[in-house]
Amino acid sequence: MEVGVQLVGILLRVLNFLLAPLFWLRARDNRRLPPATNPILLKSASELASAIRNGEITSEELVTIYINRVKEVNPFLNAVVEERYGAAIDDAKAIDRLIEDAKKDGSFEQLIKDKPLLGVPFTVKESCSLAGMSNSVGCLENAGRRATTDGGVVSLVKKAGAIPLLVSNTPELCLGWETTNLLRGTTNNPYCLNRTPGGSSGGEGALLACGASPFSVASDIAGSIRLPAAFCGVFGHKPTPGIISIEGHIPTLSDESFPKFLTVGPMTRRADDLPLLMNIMAGDNKSLLRLDQPVDMKKVKVLYMHEATDSIALLRVDKCINDAIKSAVKYLEKECGCTVSEEKFKDLEDSVEISISVFFSMKDIPNLLQDPANPKRDKSLIVELIKYAFGGGSRSLQGLSFSLINTTHLFIPESRQGYYNGKANKLREQMQRVLGENGVLIYPVFVEQAHQHQSVFLKASGVMYTMVFNILGMPATAVPLGLYRGLPVGLQVIAAPNQDRLCLAVAKQLEVGFGGWKPPQ
């Protein structure tokens, strides 16, 4: 481990220990969310689509139920950036008429074949672009900006018959792992309002977890789907890059590596919905993933690691997460017939250096210190931090922290960046070879459960467990394994590129064994 990274890590661990009582004292919100009492809110997107097809409920009734649920919980969560409730009800009424007409003229079977999500509502991470809706992505200077067109995936999901309800909150330009910004404020975790839902898809995670959305269109560049999924007890899949369109995503970079790191994908409450949504989101590329091909679990090779390293500079993985991994592996071996081995990918211990060196070597990374009045001049980071402390800043604390990392590269010498790029290539080749076409790795998503607001800065090293797989271009699914002391516990399932079907199949088996999503109590 690089000396600079070690020193930063040790400093953060010390501060995390010393400031823990302060974060605990600041956590004074004892409110609880109203429970989801309508059983329709507990159903999967697939079940809801079936209910509409079978005439058990109209799309207008379903959309209205979800709108009322969002209105009920959002005052507690602060997850909604902008809604289109009136337009969504109009869309639902039009779909109900379409269904009625199709049943009369004999075209109903073709209609539901073409539109497998017909009449089902969904929600969209603001950065993924929903036409006519806010597209500011938490930036003060972008306030009032709207998406002129649907993002590529949003367009495909709408084409499949689903109805968008709203766009949800993100960190500033998605550059953070807690969902907060100066424009829209902070989003809360539905299991404990004192804690973060994670980021950058935290608004989606929060809405899903409390039954306010059947499924989400989200994005992941450094754990942005998987971290909120784990913190909010739902499923989230980071697809193999290059399969699903990232068109319309904000921000975007011109660097050729950017599409290898950023993916757009689904977040759901039920594992059954993941293959359906992946087939829709992949569009013409869906055949590359063979998601409809059954997975024989007895032929699946399960590798597992409890943590990347025991370095004194990095936070250790909590016991409840280690226990969840042990239980999951045991279940897959005993109940599903999988072959199990505790494989050690030693180079994962350098995940921080690999991730920072490769990611920050991209060009056109947003410069949050650039002066809009004089683009050739950068503002002082120190001055901006002082302004923020006195409530006069134009950047969030997360944005300024991102700028600090971008500037310092965590003190990794420039001369070593080529070494870590090479190490990333070596690790990618090794993992692809070992996992092959039938292997998965069970691994933590983060070092602990959802933490108190703003303590993310002291726990940032935990993101090494997700970000490295963006760098390596491997698919990964966050899977809930129940609750511990009232908070969700999750792990991730990783596979070789284009083997997303293995991640989803294992996620489904773990849902069968451990119950999957459990609503906030």
Short mmCIF file of all heavy atoms in Angstrom, two decimals, residues 437-474:
data_model
loop_
_atom_site.label_atom_id
_atom_site.label_comp_id
_atom_site.label_asym_id
_atom_site.label_seq_id
_atom_site.Cartn_x
_atom_site.Cartn_y
_atom_site.Cartn_z
N GLU A 437 -16.95 -19.03 -17.16
CA GLU A 437 -18.36 -18.94 -17.57
C GLU A 437 -19.30 -19.53 -16.53
O GLU A 437 -20.51 -19.59 -16.76
CB GLU A 437 -18.57 -19.64 -18.91
CG GLU A 437 -17.83 -18.96 -20.07
CD GLU A 437 -18.16 -19.59 -21.40
OE1 GLU A 437 -18.86 -20.63 -21.41
OE2 GLU A 437 -17.75 -19.04 -22.43
N ASN A 438 -18.76 -19.95 -15.39
CA ASN A 438 -19.65 -20.55 -14.38
C ASN A 438 -19.30 -20.15 -12.96
O ASN A 438 -19.78 -20.77 -12.00
CB ASN A 438 -19.61 -22.08 -14.50
CG ASN A 438 -18.27 -22.66 -14.07
OD1 ASN A 438 -17.23 -22.01 -14.24
ND2 ASN A 438 -18.30 -23.85 -13.50
N GLY A 439 -18.47 -19.11 -12.79
CA GLY A 439 -18.04 -18.74 -11.45
C GLY A 439 -18.53 -17.37 -11.00
O GLY A 439 -18.69 -16.46 -11.82
N VAL A 440 -18.77 -17.23 -9.70
CA VAL A 440 -19.12 -15.94 -9.11
C VAL A 440 -18.27 -15.75 -7.86
O VAL A 440 -17.79 -16.70 -7.25
CB VAL A 440 -20.61 -15.85 -8.72
CG1 VAL A 440 -21.51 -15.96 -9.96
CG2 VAL A 440 -20.99 -16.89 -7.68
N LEU A 441 -18.09 -14.49 -7.51
CA LEU A 441 -17.40 -14.11 -6.27
C LEU A 441 -18.39 -13.45 -5.34
O LEU A 441 -19.06 -12.48 -5.72
CB LEU A 441 -16.25 -13.15 -6.57
CG LEU A 441 -15.55 -12.52 -5.35
CD1 LEU A 441 -14.83 -13.59 -4.53
CD2 LEU A 441 -14.59 -11.41 -5.77
N ILE A 442 -18.53 -13.97 -4.11
CA ILE A 442 -19.34 -13.34 -3.07
C ILE A 442 -18.42 -12.42 -2.28
O ILE A 442 -17.39 -12.86 -1.76
CB ILE A 442 -19.98 -14.39 -2.15
CG1 ILE A 442 -20.77 -15.43 -2.95
CG2 ILE A 442 -20.86 -13.71 -1.10
CD1 ILE A 442 -22.00 -14.90 -3.63
N TYR A 443 -18.82 -11.16 -2.12
CA TYR A 443 -17.88 -10.14 -1.62
C TYR A 443 -18.69 -9.04 -0.94
O TYR A 443 -19.87 -8.81 -1.26
CB TYR A 443 -17.14 -9.57 -2.84
CG TYR A 443 -15.85 -8.84 -2.58
CD1 TYR A 443 -14.79 -9.44 -1.92
CD2 TYR A 443 -15.67 -7.54 -3.08
CE1 TYR A 443 -13.58 -8.76 -1.75
CE2 TYR A 443 -14.47 -6.87 -2.91
CZ TYR A 443 -13.42 -7.48 -2.24
OH TYR A 443 -12.23 -6.81 -2.08
N PRO A 444 -18.13 -8.33 0.04
CA PRO A 444 -18.88 -7.22 0.65
C PRO A 444 -19.19 -6.11 -0.37
O PRO A 444 -18.45 -5.92 -1.34
CB PRO A 444 -17.91 -6.69 1.73
CG PRO A 444 -16.96 -7.81 1.98
CD PRO A 444 -16.81 -8.52 0.67
N VAL A 445 -20.26 -5.36 -0.11
CA VAL A 445 -20.53 -4.14 -0.86
C VAL A 445 -19.82 -2.96 -0.19
O VAL A 445 -19.29 -2.07 -0.85
CB VAL A 445 -22.05 -3.86 -0.92
CG1 VAL A 445 -22.33 -2.53 -1.62
CG2 VAL A 445 -22.78 -4.99 -1.62
N PHE A 446 -19.81 -2.99 1.13
CA PHE A 446 -19.21 -1.92 1.92
C PHE A 446 -18.75 -2.53 3.24
O PHE A 446 -19.05 -3.69 3.54
CB PHE A 446 -20.25 -0.80 2.14
CG PHE A 446 -19.66 0.51 2.58
CD1 PHE A 446 -18.94 1.29 1.69
CD2 PHE A 446 -19.84 0.97 3.87
CE1 PHE A 446 -18.39 2.51 2.09
CE2 PHE A 446 -19.31 2.20 4.27
CZ PHE A 446 -18.58 2.96 3.38
N VAL A 447 -18.06 -1.76 4.03
CA VAL A 447 -17.50 -2.29 5.28
C VAL A 447 -18.52 -2.35 6.41
O VAL A 447 -18.28 -3.02 7.41
CB VAL A 447 -16.29 -1.46 5.73
CG1 VAL A 447 -15.15 -1.60 4.74
CG2 VAL A 447 -16.66 0.02 5.92
N GLU A 448 -19.64 -1.67 6.25
CA GLU A 448 -20.63 -1.65 7.32
C GLU A 448 -22.00 -1.36 6.76
O GLU A 448 -22.16 -1.13 5.55
CB GLU A 448 -20.26 -0.60 8.38
CG GLU A 448 -20.24 0.82 7.87
CD GLU A 448 -19.81 1.82 8.94
OE1 GLU A 448 -19.08 1.43 9.85
OE2 GLU A 448 -20.22 2.99 8.83
N GLN A 449 -23.02 -1.37 7.63
CA GLN A 449 -24.37 -0.99 7.23
C GLN A 449 -24.45 0.53 7.05
O GLN A 449 -23.46 1.24 7.25
CB GLN A 449 -25.35 -1.46 8.30
CG GLN A 449 -25.38 -2.96 8.52
CD GLN A 449 -26.09 -3.32 9.80
OE1 GLN A 449 -25.51 -3.25 10.89
NE2 GLN A 449 -27.35 -3.73 9.70
N ALA A 450 -25.61 0.99 6.68
CA ALA A 450 -25.80 2.43 6.46
C ALA A 450 -25.35 3.23 7.68
O ALA A 450 -25.72 2.93 8.81
CB ALA A 450 -27.28 2.71 6.18
N HIS A 451 -24.55 4.26 7.44
CA HIS A 451 -23.99 5.05 8.53
C HIS A 451 -24.70 6.40 8.67
O HIS A 451 -25.50 6.80 7.82
CB HIS A 451 -22.49 5.27 8.33
CG HIS A 451 -22.11 5.62 6.93
ND1 HIS A 451 -21.55 4.72 6.06
CD2 HIS A 451 -22.24 6.77 6.24
CE1 HIS A 451 -21.34 5.29 4.89
NE2 HIS A 451 -21.74 6.54 4.97
N GLN A 452 -24.39 7.11 9.76
CA GLN A 452 -25.01 8.40 10.00
C GLN A 452 -24.63 9.41 8.90
O GLN A 452 -23.57 9.31 8.29
CB GLN A 452 -24.58 8.97 11.35
CG GLN A 452 -25.27 8.33 12.53
CD GLN A 452 -24.41 7.26 13.16
OE1 GLN A 452 -23.39 6.86 12.60
NE2 GLN A 452 -24.81 6.78 14.33
N HIS A 453 -25.52 10.36 8.69
CA HIS A 453 -25.28 11.41 7.70
C HIS A 453 -23.93 12.09 7.94
O HIS A 453 -23.53 12.36 9.08
CB HIS A 453 -26.40 12.46 7.76
CG HIS A 453 -27.70 11.98 7.22
ND1 HIS A 453 -27.86 11.49 5.95
CD2 HIS A 453 -28.94 11.90 7.79
CE1 HIS A 453 -29.12 11.14 5.75
NE2 HIS A 453 -29.80 11.38 6.86
N GLN A 454 -23.25 12.34 6.83
CA GLN A 454 -21.98 13.08 6.75
C GLN A 454 -20.77 12.32 7.26
O GLN A 454 -19.64 12.78 7.09
CB GLN A 454 -22.08 14.44 7.47
CG GLN A 454 -23.09 15.37 6.81
CD GLN A 454 -23.08 16.76 7.42
OE1 GLN A 454 -22.43 17.01 8.43
NE2 GLN A 454 -23.79 17.68 6.80
N SER A 455 -20.97 11.14 7.84
CA SER A 455 -19.81 10.38 8.27
C SER A 455 -19.16 9.64 7.11
O SER A 455 -18.13 8.97 7.28
CB SER A 455 -20.18 9.39 9.39
OG SER A 455 -21.14 8.45 8.96
N VAL A 456 -19.75 9.76 5.92
CA VAL A 456 -19.19 9.11 4.73
C VAL A 456 -17.74 9.53 4.49
O VAL A 456 -16.92 8.75 3.99
CB VAL A 456 -20.05 9.41 3.49
CG1 VAL A 456 -20.07 10.89 3.16
CG2 VAL A 456 -19.55 8.62 2.28
N PHE A 457 -17.39 10.78 4.87
CA PHE A 457 -16.03 11.27 4.60
C PHE A 457 -14.98 10.48 5.37
O PHE A 457 -13.85 10.34 4.93
CB PHE A 457 -15.94 12.76 4.95
CG PHE A 457 -16.96 13.59 4.23
CD1 PHE A 457 -18.07 14.08 4.89
CD2 PHE A 457 -16.82 13.85 2.88
CE1 PHE A 457 -19.02 14.82 4.23
CE2 PHE A 457 -17.77 14.60 2.20
CZ PHE A 457 -18.87 15.09 2.87
N LEU A 458 -15.37 9.97 6.52
CA LEU A 458 -14.44 9.21 7.34
C LEU A 458 -14.43 7.72 6.98
O LEU A 458 -13.57 6.98 7.44
CB LEU A 458 -14.80 9.37 8.82
CG LEU A 458 -14.90 10.81 9.32
CD1 LEU A 458 -15.27 10.84 10.79
CD2 LEU A 458 -13.60 11.57 9.07
N LYS A 459 -15.38 7.32 6.15
CA LYS A 459 -15.52 5.91 5.80
C LYS A 459 -15.33 5.67 4.31
O LYS A 459 -15.65 4.60 3.79
CB LYS A 459 -16.90 5.41 6.23
CG LYS A 459 -17.20 5.64 7.72
CD LYS A 459 -18.64 5.28 8.04
CE LYS A 459 -19.00 5.68 9.47
NZ LYS A 459 -18.30 4.89 10.47
N ALA A 460 -14.78 6.67 3.63
CA ALA A 460 -14.70 6.62 2.17
C ALA A 460 -13.90 5.44 1.65
O ALA A 460 -14.14 4.95 0.55
CB ALA A 460 -14.11 7.92 1.64
N SER A 461 -12.95 4.94 2.45
CA SER A 461 -12.15 3.81 1.97
C SER A 461 -13.01 2.58 1.72
O SER A 461 -12.62 1.69 0.94
CB SER A 461 -11.06 3.47 2.99
OG SER A 461 -11.61 2.99 4.22
N GLY A 462 -14.19 2.52 2.34
CA GLY A 462 -15.08 1.37 2.14
C GLY A 462 -15.55 1.22 0.72
O GLY A 462 -15.98 0.13 0.31
N VAL A 463 -15.47 2.29 -0.06
CA VAL A 463 -15.93 2.24 -1.45
C VAL A 463 -14.97 1.42 -2.31
O VAL A 463 -15.29 1.09 -3.46
CB VAL A 463 -16.11 3.67 -2.00
CG1 VAL A 463 -16.68 3.65 -3.40
CG2 VAL A 463 -17.05 4.45 -1.08
N MET A 464 -13.83 1.04 -1.77
CA MET A 464 -12.90 0.17 -2.50
C MET A 464 -13.56 -1.15 -2.88
O MET A 464 -13.15 -1.82 -3.83
CB MET A 464 -11.66 -0.11 -1.66
CG MET A 464 -11.91 -0.92 -0.41
SD MET A 464 -10.42 -1.16 0.62
CE MET A 464 -9.49 -2.31 -0.35
N TYR A 465 -14.62 -1.53 -2.15
CA TYR A 465 -15.28 -2.81 -2.41
C TYR A 465 -16.19 -2.78 -3.63
O TYR A 465 -16.54 -3.83 -4.17
CB TYR A 465 -16.05 -3.26 -1.17
CG TYR A 465 -15.12 -3.75 -0.09
CD1 TYR A 465 -14.63 -2.88 0.88
CD2 TYR A 465 -14.71 -5.07 -0.05
CE1 TYR A 465 -13.76 -3.32 1.86
CE2 TYR A 465 -13.83 -5.52 0.92
CZ TYR A 465 -13.35 -4.64 1.87
OH TYR A 465 -12.47 -5.09 2.83
N THR A 466 -16.59 -1.59 -4.07
CA THR A 466 -17.44 -1.49 -5.25
C THR A 466 -16.71 -0.89 -6.45
O THR A 466 -16.80 -1.38 -7.56
CB THR A 466 -18.69 -0.63 -4.97
OG1 THR A 466 -18.29 0.63 -4.42
CG2 THR A 466 -19.63 -1.34 -4.02
N MET A 467 -15.95 0.19 -6.22
CA MET A 467 -15.37 0.96 -7.31
C MET A 467 -14.44 0.12 -8.18
O MET A 467 -14.39 0.30 -9.40
CB MET A 467 -14.62 2.17 -6.74
CG MET A 467 -14.15 3.15 -7.78
SD MET A 467 -13.45 4.64 -7.00
CE MET A 467 -13.08 5.64 -8.44
N VAL A 468 -13.72 -0.81 -7.58
CA VAL A 468 -12.75 -1.59 -8.34
C VAL A 468 -13.42 -2.40 -9.44
O VAL A 468 -12.83 -2.64 -10.51
CB VAL A 468 -11.93 -2.50 -7.40
CG1 VAL A 468 -12.79 -3.62 -6.81
CG2 VAL A 468 -10.71 -3.06 -8.11
N PHE A 469 -14.68 -2.81 -9.26
CA PHE A 469 -15.34 -3.61 -10.27
C PHE A 469 -15.88 -2.77 -11.42
O PHE A 469 -16.15 -3.30 -12.51
CB PHE A 469 -16.41 -4.49 -9.63
CG PHE A 469 -15.82 -5.47 -8.65
CD1 PHE A 469 -16.01 -5.32 -7.29
CD2 PHE A 469 -15.01 -6.50 -9.10
CE1 PHE A 469 -15.43 -6.19 -6.39
CE2 PHE A 469 -14.41 -7.38 -8.19
CZ PHE A 469 -14.62 -7.22 -6.85
N ASN A 470 -16.03 -1.46 -11.21
CA ASN A 470 -16.24 -0.56 -12.34
C ASN A 470 -14.97 -0.47 -13.17
O ASN A 470 -15.01 -0.49 -14.41
CB ASN A 470 -16.65 0.84 -11.86
CG ASN A 470 -17.99 0.85 -11.16
OD1 ASN A 470 -18.08 0.57 -9.98
ND2 ASN A 470 -19.05 1.18 -11.90
N ILE A 471 -13.84 -0.35 -12.48
CA ILE A 471 -12.55 -0.28 -13.16
C ILE A 471 -12.29 -1.56 -13.95
O ILE A 471 -11.77 -1.52 -15.08
CB ILE A 471 -11.41 -0.03 -12.15
CG1 ILE A 471 -11.64 1.28 -11.37
CG2 ILE A 471 -10.06 -0.05 -12.84
CD1 ILE A 471 -11.74 2.51 -12.25
N LEU A 472 -12.66 -2.70 -13.39
CA LEU A 472 -12.40 -3.99 -14.03
C LEU A 472 -13.45 -4.36 -15.07
O LEU A 472 -13.26 -5.31 -15.83
CB LEU A 472 -12.32 -5.09 -12.97
CG LEU A 472 -11.23 -4.93 -11.90
CD1 LEU A 472 -11.29 -6.08 -10.90
CD2 LEU A 472 -9.84 -4.84 -12.53
N GLY A 473 -14.57 -3.64 -15.10
CA GLY A 473 -15.60 -3.90 -16.10
C GLY A 473 -16.38 -5.18 -15.87
O GLY A 473 -16.81 -5.84 -16.83
N MET A 474 -16.61 -5.53 -14.62
CA MET A 474 -17.29 -6.79 -14.30
C MET A 474 -18.70 -6.53 -13.77
O MET A 474 -18.92 -5.57 -13.04
CB MET A 474 -16.47 -7.57 -13.27
CG MET A 474 -15.05 -7.82 -13.72
SD MET A 474 -14.03 -8.66 -12.50
CE MET A 474 -14.67 -10.32 -12.67
#
